[in-house]
Amino acid sequence: SSSSSSSSNPPRSRDFRFCVDRGGTFTDVYAEVPDAANPFRTLKLLSEDPANYESAPREGIRRILEEVTGVAIPRDAPVPTERIEFIRMGTTVATNALLERDGARSALVVTRGFKDLLEIGNQARPDIFDLKIERPSRLYERVLEVDERARVLDTRSRASDREAASAASAAADDDGAAGGVVVAGVTGEDILVERAIDLEALRPRLQALLDDGIKSLAVVFMHAYAFPNHERAAGDLARSMGFERVSTSSELVPMVKIVPRGHTASVDAYLTPCIRTYLDAFLSGFDDGLKDVNVSFMQSDGGLTPAGSFSGYKAILSGPAGGVVGFARTTSGEADGAPVIGFDMGGTSTDVSRHDGASTGFEQVTETRTAGVTIQAPQLDITTVAAGGGSKLTFRSGTFRVGPESVGSQPGPVCYRKGGKELSVTDANALLGRVSPAYFPKIFGPTEDQPLDIDAVRRAFEAEADTINFELGFDGKDDSKPKLTPEEVALGYVRVANEAMCRPIREITESKGVETAAHALAAFGGAGPQHACAIARALGMRRVFVHRFCGILSAYGMGLADVVAEAQRPFAASALSEDGRRAARRASDELRARVVSELAAQGFAMDDIATETLLNLRYEGTDTAIMTSGGERRHGADGGDAGVEFEFDFEFEFDFDFVAAFGERFRREYGFDLAGSRDVVIDDVRVRGVGSASLLTRVPVDVAKDDEPLPEPDSVAEVYFEGGLEWTKTPVFLAEALKFKHAIRGPAVVMNGTATCVIEPGCVASVTEFGDLSIDVHLTPAAEREEDAETAIEEEKDEPTPEEEEEDALYHSPDAVQLSIFNNRFMGIAEQMGRTLQRTSTSTNIKERLDFSCALFGPDGGLVANAPHVPVHLGAMSSTVKWQLDRWNGSDERSRLNPGDVLVTNHPSAGGSHLPDITVITPVFRDGECVFLVASRGHHADVGGMTPGSMPPFSRTLADEGAAIKTFKLVEGGVFMEEGITALLTKPPDGGPGTRKLRDNLSDLAAQVAANQRGIALIDELIDEHGLCKVQAYMRHVQDNAELAVRDTVREYASRLKRERPTASDAADPEHRVSLTAEDKMDDGSVVKLTLTLDTRDGSAVFDFTGTSDEVRGNWNAPPAVTTAAVIYCVRCLVNQEIPLNQGCLSPITIVVPDGTFLSPSDGAAVVGGNVLTSQRVTDVCFAAFEACANSQGCMNNLTFGDDTFGYYETIGGGAGAGPTWDGASAVQCHMTNTRITDPEIMERRYPVVVRRFAIRDGSGGDGARKGGDGIERAIEFLAPVTVSVLTERRVFAPRGARGGGDGAKGLNTLTRRRKDDGGGGDGGGEVFEDAALMATSKSALLKAFESVFKVDLNKRGGPPPLRALKAGDKIKCDSCRYLC
């Protein structure tokens, strides 16, 4: 739109367009201007410079207007707008406020019982090896719990609920205002309103918040996605009382899952006031004509929205989203339809994203985690890794490390002349000549007018090289160990940084079932083009794109984005039924009319509006929903004007087969399909409307004539390259001097504003029509030579060739850089196996709770890398693999492993933990020889046994716990042996009950096979790239490196303890050894005793558990593998640096566990509790010996319930122990587990339960100078007859404090029974609740919903072995209660 000028002169056209990216440090501006000779301007200025301007974006606009028009615009005068067509802007204001916790004062209004829900979240801790658990602080200051409750009714809810509610409903309003009524929810489901909200009771509590200065509110009620009435009423009340921002979760994100929805509402309440303040400051500096200018802001989903609609929860990715739009819209055509990876490398982090070249849309996700907060809203799928120009460089335990710490902006890299002493990636590039002071702004030093300081960088790297050479023993006297030069050190760090940035690229592609090498790489950001060629080569990519405006692509992308309006509603219907599809079509019609009206109101003509219907689909019984698009549809001009009811023929959209599209994408991403076996459920209907806005005009560059040579280089620089080239004279070209069709052969450097593009040797860059660089990436000569050498080695296998002998000698000593790279690669293989397993599994335990681990092993069964998934699995699988190798070591084909074989096992005596943890092992063959093995262990939903879920608390033998498999070829010669594994699972040889969930077992086993196959493919790829000899050599080197790190840690601890505790010196060798003891008890009195001996000389440690109690008749016996896992976990925590989890960690460690104790029980002993209870006690004892921290909760709080048709399992978190310098974290998974807990709304929707309370148990953590973390209170009501099992500890002996700190509170299990009261009450009867403490740590009860029948099996309790002579004073473990008598 345009407006008339207020002057007497005729109005001029609106011929300025501004696109702005306001970042944390710099603000970038791209402007289209009315200048034929130069139709655009770019500008970069500091985001904060209060001495010169109030708003950087407005100042940038003012400067460009002033320059182009020639009319002076004083800084203190309103900026004229008469010639501005649009202003589009992205900003990191919201992100920075979230990261720095600098948002508005706010409060949370939540359903009673859930005051701590958002703080607890999913219970997982961010770093499983960090004893100092740091969780982001909450966003809200105060919490108001409200007495209101609604829940979804299903067929298993008790009949009396429905009968009573139906009677009440007849006399109630439709909105359930009276409480105790059934109403129709937004989803179409029946909603029981148990308790209506009392607004008058809420009013004074809200007023108290206002009186205290809190004016921003988040309202989050259970099941508000389906029944928003209570939230809406509370929100209306708060607004009427004067709250400035009220964010109701059901209005913002009407989707199931209260935790992410609640976080989203709290983020919006916290950030939106900050955004409004910032926007007001920006907009207030323009003249009154701004109302006629199209001012819009970039949202996290890649679409623009008017300033008035820009809110906090949609602004988190506002800045990065512009870059994604920019590379997607400008590279798709150049890539010939191939998918593209966006690689945006900045100062402290790198953003990685993906665009499918065949699609016009963007890849989005509906749930992400930023700054410790889960946000549920449509957002571009952007993965961030803590590796950027400012990432810190360190050398530790023989390896090069890059990040995750940053040197920060103050003082910053060494080259910034701000007194920085710590080297960064930017410093490494500066030393190597890839960042040139001559082309970098002179803004450094005290006066901010000096160039980068290369001399200081060289001195710092010389010192770093001296340190590294000394630690590695490189003195220059041995020709086989020449000293590393400063340049080699810098290049080594760059190569390690490149590998760190490759990992998220592999993740974002392979997690979607697509090949990384099939993509092109679009590099932008300040540092991206410096690393692009090397990263593309490492990933096997053949094409790199560097945009003409790569340094400000996020700003440029704003000008290529469309305006977006969206509407969504929750749903609950089958996509396979005609009724479900018809209802979804009606919902789509309503939502489409809403978004079209919204876009039309912004001035878009109907021809410029397109809509897209998306259904959020999932298979019944899973939580893996996929937002499935029905394609985009444009609307004709006959749709009417804004504000008019629209009527369209929507049959086009629903002629589209959503189910088929969903199935295809499900198969691509997860590797299998459930079609035909499960219903397809519609969870949400969403309509996305797009208003095609005016886009920037891409400006072509001049065309080079056929015989026109490249321009003369602007300069020739010395740049350091690998592959034997070292310092090389390298031409430096200015981007503006290049023309279309010019080709530049590497090595070369192209300066593009403040961005440097390094074209490496072997690469060729072509200039495109619009001045971008399209770089063809080829193998380096070094890589080709390595490939040729490998071919030569493969040709002769009988006798060692000279090449093999030479290569053996070459790899006998590790290269520190290669060691770091292989550390990353091995760990990356294990992590990608885990992602494959999560994608392809079907059970909740693996796919959603993440109760699994993946690892790779050497041919001897020694652990090479174990992805840090579940700590209790760490290191334990090595025992399993070694047992299998010994078992399958025969001479004939039937008794040995062959290509195409896959093994399965879960037996404790074969290296297993407990029976639900099934391990699948696959050997990796190369020329008929087993060169590696891969394995995956997952917790299966059921493997038989006495109770659903296979976690019986009262088991006394292994047969009580389910199917036990020592070894079986699950796949033999490539054939899946379904009949054999089915027999083992359903009819265990010991005669015990078989699995209740065979279908899930088979699906998850197939997923484990697929995960192993993924690992094999990646190992083959690594061997093809580097050669078998080198890969196996570095397999040994990474194990040696982990051993070195552990020995260093043990020496450090032993020396410190020797100084602090002289009495701890070992009697046998007091000068060099320290001996420590610790013990603790299980709740039945069984003792875990540890004598820990540390050696200050060789860094060895002996963990001797002699003195531990005998095997018990209960199920808290723990196989040796569990103790091994606990020890390796403790050691890894104490090492406190990034090392791979491998066999080297255990090389300095000796573990002594006497046979016959409950840490090394007999073959048929019950062990289900050992994995989940005893493992925690062993861990507490180990840390107590080291005095590393106080006891944590010491239990996994296992809860299972179910019947013959379903089973549910969860572990409930608790308090973490305090340390010498930190308080313990509250309500978190501790030590040996880190599994997620199911969202309360999902749990209630799927199972016949109501979660009544899920909160922090305040004051339970124990007092001291450093307080222990508080535990959790969890109350669950059952609505149908189920069998419930509780397997817990720390109910008798409290978690102990350390160094004089107080003990934590003991746990408590309580059963509340509801029964009818037939008399005695004034109303003639009613319901009475009775509490009974479950005195033992484990019970099994058949709960018949709300009846007085309550059966508890107290007779099948554990006790000591019966054949033990008793004498006076002995304590006896009672068969009925397991307490000491």
Side-chain angles (χ1 to χ4, degrees):
S1 62
S2 61
S3 64
S4 299
S5 172
S6 59
S7 69
S8 58
N9 297 322
R12 280 178 279 190
S13 63
R14 293 186 178 272
D15 44 12
F16 283 82
R17 297 172 164 184
F18 291 97
C19 303
V20 185
D21 175 30
R22 197 275 192 191
T25 304
F26 291 104
T27 292
D28 299 327
V29 183
Y30 178 90
E32 279 190 358
V33 300
D35 182 347
N38 183 13
F40 63 85
R41 297 288 191 276
T42 62
L43 185 66
K44 184 182 288 285
L45 66 164
L46 289 171
S47 294
E48 297 287 346
D49 191 357
N52 292 301
Y53 44 79
E54 178 188 25
S55 167
R58 192 175 66 236
E59 173 65 12
I61 293 170
R62 185 196 68 81
R63 291 183 187 182
I64 292 175
L65 284 172
E66 188 175 71
E67 176 198 341
V68 176
T69 64
V71 177
I73 305 173
R75 282 184 173 172
D76 58 354
V79 176
T81 59
E82 62 179 3
R83 297 185 63 179
I84 301 177
E85 178 186 344
F86 65 64
I87 300 171
R88 297 177 182 173
M89 186 169 154
T91 175
T92 59
V93 169
T95 310
N96 294 339
L98 187 60
L99 290 169
E100 298 163 11
R101 292 301 193 261
D102 191 25
R105 295 184 65 196
S106 62
L108 173 68
V109 179
V110 69
T111 303
R112 183 165 298 282
F114 297 95
K115 66 182 178 67
D116 302 311
L117 178 65
L118 302 188
E119 195 169 343
I120 298 172
N122 63 11
Q123 302 186 138
R125 60 193 191 274
D127 182 348
I128 64 173
F129 300 120
D130 193 347
L131 296 177
K132 182 182 178 182
I133 301 171
E134 295 184 294
R135 301 168 84 184
S137 59
R138 68 187 197 183
L139 305 181
Y140 42 89
E141 289 184 26
R142 303 260 290 278
V143 180
L144 299 184
E145 289 188 282
V146 177
D147 290 313
E148 70 79 40
R149 194 59 156 96
R151 60 180 172 86
V152 178
L153 289 177
D154 69 4
T155 55
R156 288 175 295 192
S157 298
R158 61 182 178 138
S160 57
D161 266 354
R162 290 182 171 273
E163 292 167 4
S166 297
S169 297
D173 298 330
D174 289 339
D175 65 355
V181 300
V182 174
V183 298
V186 175
T187 59
E189 297 164 294
D190 286 341
I191 305 296
L192 173 61
V193 182
E194 293 186 338
R195 184 160 188 168
I197 187 170
D198 186 344
L199 296 178
E200 290 309 309
L202 179 60
R203 184 185 298 274
R205 302 172 70 197
L206 292 177
Q207 187 61 50
L209 295 177
L210 286 171
D211 294 343
D212 198 30
I214 295 176
K215 298 182 179 180
S216 192
L217 211 61
V219 183
V220 184
F221 292 157
M222 280 287 288
H223 297 290
Y225 66 94
F227 181 72
N229 305 45
H230 286 176
E231 277 196 359
R232 194 178 300 138
D236 290 343
L237 173 63
R239 294 184 188 96
S240 71
M241 293 176 64
F243 281 89
E244 295 176 357
R245 180 67 185 181
V246 180
S247 302
T248 56
S249 75
S250 56
E251 181 182 6
L252 298 177
V253 192
M255 297 179 73
V256 67
K257 289 188 183 179
I258 188 173
V259 173
R261 195 178 72 247
H263 275 306
T264 305
S266 69
V267 164
D268 193 70
Y270 187 70
L271 296 181
T272 299
C274 300
I275 289 177
R276 300 316 314 171
T277 299
Y278 178 79
L279 294 188
D280 289 345
F282 167 67
L283 299 172
S284 64
F286 293 90
D287 65 19
D288 292 341
L290 186 66
K291 64 180 182 299
D292 297 317
V293 177
N294 189 331
V295 182
S296 53
F297 287 81
M298 177 63 77
Q299 301 181 115
S300 299
D301 62 359
L304 299 168
T305 191
S309 303
F310 193 45
S311 61
Y313 81 104
K314 291 185 176 181
I316 303 298
L317 299 179
S318 175
V324 175
V325 174
F327 89 75
R329 291 282 169 86
T330 58
T331 60
S332 296
E334 301 288 346
D336 300 323
V340 184
I341 293 295
F343 174 64
D344 179 7
M345 183 176 175
T348 58
S349 62
T350 297
D351 290 332
V352 174
S353 52
R354 179 181 182 272
H355 179 68
D356 185 347
S359 170
T360 57
F362 303 105
E363 294 194 352
Q364 295 184 344
V365 291
T366 55
E367 191 171 307
T368 58
R369 190 168 179 83
T370 303
V373 178
T374 302
I375 298 171
Q376 192 177 44
Q379 300 180 65
L380 295 179
D381 191 359
I382 299 174
T383 299
T384 300
V385 60
S391 293
K392 188 187 298 185
L393 311 180
T394 53
F395 185 83
R396 286 189 293 180
S397 300
T399 59
F400 286 71
R401 302 179 188 276
V402 177
E405 303 87 357
S406 171
V407 299
S409 57
Q410 296 294 335
V414 172
C415 62
Y416 276 15
R417 297 182 185 267
K418 293 182 179 181
K421 302 297 183 185
E422 296 177 310
L423 288 166
S424 68
V425 173
T426 296
D427 293 316
N429 280 319
L431 181 71
L432 299 174
R434 302 171 186 213
V435 173
S436 172
Y439 295 95
F440 216 82
K442 294 178 174 58
I443 56 174
F444 304 101
T447 56
E448 298 185 350
D449 60 356
Q450 299 178 52
L452 294 171
D453 190 347
I454 300 300
D455 292 337
V457 172
R458 175 162 290 280
R459 290 192 298 271
F461 270 107
E462 286 172 350
E464 181 78 352
D466 290 342
T467 300
I468 292 173
N469 286 323
F470 175 77
E471 290 195 25
L472 295 178
F474 292 176
D475 56 9
K477 297 177 182 179
D478 185 346
D479 291 341
S480 66
K481 296 181 179 180
K483 282 188 173 183
L484 294 174
T485 66
E487 291 83 1
E488 289 171 329
V489 170
L491 183 62
Y493 278 122
V494 169
R495 292 172 63 192
V496 173
N498 288 343
E499 178 58 36
M501 291 180 287
C502 284
R503 285 172 75 171
I505 295 176
R506 293 188 184 102
E507 176 184 349
I508 203 170
T509 53
E510 291 164 1
S511 65
K512 294 177 171 61
V514 292
E515 186 180 356
T516 306
H519 293 70
L521 186 70
F524 54 102
Q530 296 171 25
H531 296 255
C533 289
I535 286 175
R537 184 183 296 113
L539 294 169
M541 296 177 174
R542 295 289 183 173
R543 186 80 61 88
V544 169
F545 287 101
V546 179
H547 195 276
R548 180 182 185 179
F549 302 112
C550 59
I552 60 167
L553 189 60
S554 288
Y556 188 84
M558 308 291 170
L560 302 179
D562 292 317
V563 175
V564 169
E566 289 192 334
Q568 180 171 320
R569 58 164 286 185
F571 209 73
S574 169
L576 301 181
S577 72
E578 182 57 37
D579 288 344
R581 289 194 296 271
R582 189 179 298 112
R585 184 182 300 121
R586 287 195 299 269
S588 173
D589 293 352
E590 296 168 4
L591 297 174
R592 183 179 289 101
R594 191 190 310 172
V595 299
V596 170
S597 295
E598 183 178 336
L599 291 170
Q602 296 179 41
F604 287 98
M606 295 306 298
D607 285 339
D608 295 327
I609 295 176
T611 57
E612 176 187 17
T613 294
L614 301 102
L615 301 186
N616 203 25
L617 302 176
R618 63 178 174 85
Y619 283 116
E620 187 178 24
T622 74
D623 276 349
T624 310
I626 296 177
M627 196 64 80
T628 306
S629 172
E632 188 176 275
R633 180 188 175 188
R634 294 211 159 267
H635 298 278
D638 58 348
D641 299 322
V644 176
E645 288 290 330
F646 297 103
E647 293 185 2
F648 302 113
D649 175 14
F650 294 127
E651 291 300 321
F652 169 82
E653 292 259 358
F654 276 83
D655 283 346
F656 181 82
D657 193 338
F658 283 92
V659 173
F662 163 74
E664 180 182 348
R665 186 171 165 190
F666 193 96
R667 283 190 299 274
R668 185 178 73 244
E669 294 193 14
Y670 301 119
F672 68 102
D673 198 358
L674 296 173
S677 62
R678 301 199 186 193
D679 193 8
V680 178
V681 178
I682 307 172
D683 270 349
D684 305 276
V685 179
R686 178 172 143 210
V687 173
R688 178 180 174 88
V690 176
S692 298
S694 299
L695 303 181
L696 294 177
T697 303
R698 298 202 68 190
V699 180
V701 296
D702 293 338
V703 182
K705 298 176 182 177
D706 291 342
D707 57 349
E708 185 175 351
L710 281 170
E712 287 296 318
D714 187 68
S715 64
V716 176
E718 291 282 342
V719 182
Y720 195 92
F721 293 101
E722 59 182 310
L725 297 177
E726 299 186 354
W727 286 111
T728 304
K729 292 188 180 298
T730 303
V732 179
F733 297 95
L734 299 180
E736 56 265 31
L738 299 174
K739 297 181 179 181
F740 177 33
K741 296 186 178 180
H742 272 151
I744 307 166
R745 291 191 171 276
V749 173
V750 176
M751 296 305 306
N752 190 341
T754 57
T756 303
C757 179
V758 177
I759 304 168
E760 295 203 348
C763 300
V764 179
S766 301
V767 182
T768 70
E769 177 185 2
F770 297 107
D772 309 326
L773 294 179
S774 175
I775 305 173
D776 289 325
V777 180
H778 301 284
L779 288 174
T780 63
E784 289 169 349
R785 284 198 302 273
E786 192 166 65
E787 192 175 75
D788 292 342
E790 174 63 20
T791 302
I793 291 171
E794 292 294 332
E795 287 174 353
E796 182 59 62
K797 284 290 180 184
D798 295 334
E799 298 293 333
T801 65
E803 289 90 346
E804 283 180 319
E805 293 176 351
E806 182 180 348
E807 197 161 3
D808 275 333
L810 178 63
Y811 301 137
H812 180 72
S813 298
D815 173 83
V817 176
Q818 290 283 355
L819 185 61
S820 300
I821 291 172
F822 273 97
N823 270 342
N824 271 306
R825 292 296 292 274
F826 288 139
M827 187 60 75
I829 290 171
E831 288 173 350
Q832 289 187 70
M833 288 174 62
R835 284 191 287 272
T836 300
L837 178 54
Q838 184 185 2
R839 286 194 303 110
T840 56
S841 63
T842 61
S843 69
T844 299
N845 284 336
I846 295 178
K847 184 175 286 294
E848 288 135 33
R849 291 184 58 250
L850 308 185
D851 195 349
F852 65 84
S853 286
C854 296
L856 60 152
F857 305 83
D860 62 349
L863 181 65
V864 177
N866 195 148
H869 294 127
V870 178
V872 77
H873 296 165
L874 299 178
M877 280 194 285
S878 182
S879 302
T880 309
V881 173
K882 287 180 178 179
W883 193 97
Q884 298 297 326
L885 287 174
D886 289 341
R887 164 64 178 79
W888 295 95
N889 194 29
S891 57
D892 63 282
E893 187 170 327
R894 296 292 298 173
S895 60
R896 67 169 183 260
L897 293 177
N898 304 292
D901 288 349
V902 180
L903 302 175
V904 63
T905 179
N906 69 342
H907 203 292
S909 67
S913 51
H914 62 178
L915 298 185
D917 283 346
I918 299 181
T919 305
V920 173
I921 303 165
T922 310
V924 183
F925 284 90
R926 199 81 172 185
D927 295 319
E929 180 184 352
C930 178
V931 295
F932 280 93
L933 297 101
V934 292
S936 55
R937 176 172 289 178
H939 186 112
H940 283 239
D942 197 290
V943 291
M946 305 176 73
T947 59
S950 306
M951 297 286 289
F954 44 84
S955 55
R956 299 174 81 180
T957 68
L958 193 65
D960 294 337
E961 298 176 353
I965 304 169
K966 283 192 174 180
T967 187
F968 177 70
K969 284 191 176 182
L970 179 65
V971 179
E972 186 169 7
V975 179
F976 189 83
M977 310 301 288
E978 183 170 344
E979 184 177 341
I981 190 62
T982 297
L984 287 173
L985 289 171
T986 57
K987 300 176 182 178
D990 55 24
T995 180
R996 302 164 184 83
K997 306 283 286 184
L998 178 63
R999 186 175 66 173
D1000 284 357
N1001 293 136
L1002 295 177
S1003 295
D1004 284 345
L1005 287 171
Q1008 290 177 259
V1009 172
N1012 289 4
Q1013 199 58 41
R1014 181 61 189 151
I1016 292 172
L1018 292 171
I1019 291 172
D1020 283 340
E1021 183 181 301
L1022 191 64
I1023 293 173
D1024 290 342
E1025 182 179 346
H1026 292 281
L1028 178 61
C1029 183
K1030 182 176 180 179
V1031 172
Q1032 289 197 320
Y1034 275 92
M1035 172 195 73
R1036 295 187 292 271
H1037 293 326
V1038 297
Q1039 293 172 330
D1040 294 342
N1041 175 243
E1043 178 183 347
L1044 173 63
V1046 171
R1047 289 189 185 277
D1048 287 346
T1049 298
V1050 172
R1051 286 192 196 96
E1052 179 185 334
Y1053 258 90
S1055 299
R1056 180 173 63 79
L1057 291 170
K1058 193 171 176 56
R1059 291 192 306 270
E1060 296 176 357
R1061 297 158 65 182
T1063 57
S1065 295
D1066 185 67
D1069 187 358
E1071 184 177 353
H1072 300 110
R1073 291 183 182 173
V1074 176
S1075 185
L1076 309 165
T1077 60
E1079 68 175 57
D1080 205 342
K1081 295 178 180 179
M1082 305 295 288
D1083 278 352
D1084 73 325
S1086 299
V1087 174
V1088 177
K1089 185 173 183 179
L1090 170 65
T1091 301
L1092 174 62
T1093 304
L1094 310 177
D1095 195 311
T1096 60
R1097 292 171 301 179
D1098 63 5
S1100 64
V1102 178
F1103 289 75
D1104 187 349
F1105 290 92
T1106 300
T1108 295
S1109 295
D1110 292 341
E1111 175 183 324
V1112 297
R1113 289 178 62 201
N1115 59 25
W1116 52 102
N1117 299 294
V1122 171
T1123 300
T1124 299
V1127 169
I1128 196 173
Y1129 165 76
C1130 294
V1131 170
R1132 173 61 183 82
C1133 288
L1134 297 175
V1135 168
N1136 197 27
Q1137 60 174 285
E1138 288 293 332
I1139 61 170
L1141 290 159
N1142 60 44
Q1143 207 64 35
C1145 293
L1146 284 175
S1147 294
I1149 307 298
T1150 301
I1151 301 174
V1152 178
V1153 181
D1155 289 339
T1157 64
F1158 77 103
L1159 298 185
S1160 182
S1162 60
D1163 205 39
V1167 297
V1168 71
N1171 193 59
V1172 295
L1173 302 180
T1174 310
S1175 65
Q1176 297 282 50
R1177 192 69 79 260
V1178 173
T1179 305
D1180 274 345
V1181 169
C1182 291
F1183 283 133
F1186 279 105
E1187 286 196 349
C1189 62
N1191 286 173
S1192 293
Q1193 67 158 331
C1195 175
M1196 294 187 192
N1197 294 305
N1198 303 268
L1199 171 69
T1200 58
F1201 61 83
D1203 56 23
D1204 290 337
T1205 63
F1206 79 96
Y1208 175 80
Y1209 172 52
E1210 69 180 20
T1211 57
I1212 304 167
T1221 60
W1222 70 86
D1223 291 336
S1226 297
V1228 69
Q1229 293 284 27
C1230 301
H1231 293 325
M1232 300 305 287
T1233 186
N1234 199 36
T1235 56
R1236 278 65 170 159
I1237 199 163
T1238 304
D1239 188 274
E1241 288 182 345
I1242 293 289
M1243 188 175 176
E1244 291 188 3
R1245 202 178 190 191
R1246 186 179 293 179
Y1247 304 106
V1249 299
V1250 181
V1251 180
R1252 292 299 181 193
R1253 182 170 176 79
F1254 190 34
I1256 294 175
R1257 190 184 180 195
D1258 293 325
S1260 63
D1263 249 340
R1266 298 290 179 179
K1267 295 181 183 298
D1270 291 333
I1272 286 176
E1273 294 179 3
R1274 188 163 173 85
I1276 301 173
E1277 180 179 323
F1278 296 90
L1279 306 177
V1282 291
T1283 300
V1284 182
S1285 302
V1286 182
L1287 194 56
T1288 56
E1289 269 282 334
R1290 291 292 194 201
R1291 270 55 180 174
V1292 178
F1293 299 107
R1296 295 184 300 192
R1299 300 186 185 182
D1303 291 349
K1306 291 180 286 188
L1308 178 67
N1309 303 334
T1310 303
L1311 174 67
T1312 301
R1313 294 185 297 175
R1314 177 188 289 184
R1315 66 178 176 80
K1316 293 290 184 182
D1317 183 7
D1318 295 328
D1323 58 358
E1327 291 182 320
V1328 176
F1329 296 90
E1330 296 178 345
D1331 286 353
L1334 300 184
M1335 298 301 293
T1337 56
S1338 51
K1339 290 287 186 211
S1340 180
L1342 176 66
L1343 299 185
K1344 295 201 172 177
F1346 305 109
E1347 297 177 11
S1348 58
V1349 179
F1350 172 52
K1351 294 192 293 188
V1352 180
D1353 190 338
L1354 294 175
N1355 298 318
K1356 298 180 179 178
R1357 296 302 318 149
L1363 301 178
R1364 183 164 76 93
L1366 299 178
K1367 60 183 183 295
D1370 276 358
K1371 293 186 181 296
I1372 305 170
K1373 300 170 200 168
C1374 177
D1375 244 12
S1376 64
C1377 70
R1378 220 181 97 186
Y1379 281 87
L1380 295 176
C1381 302

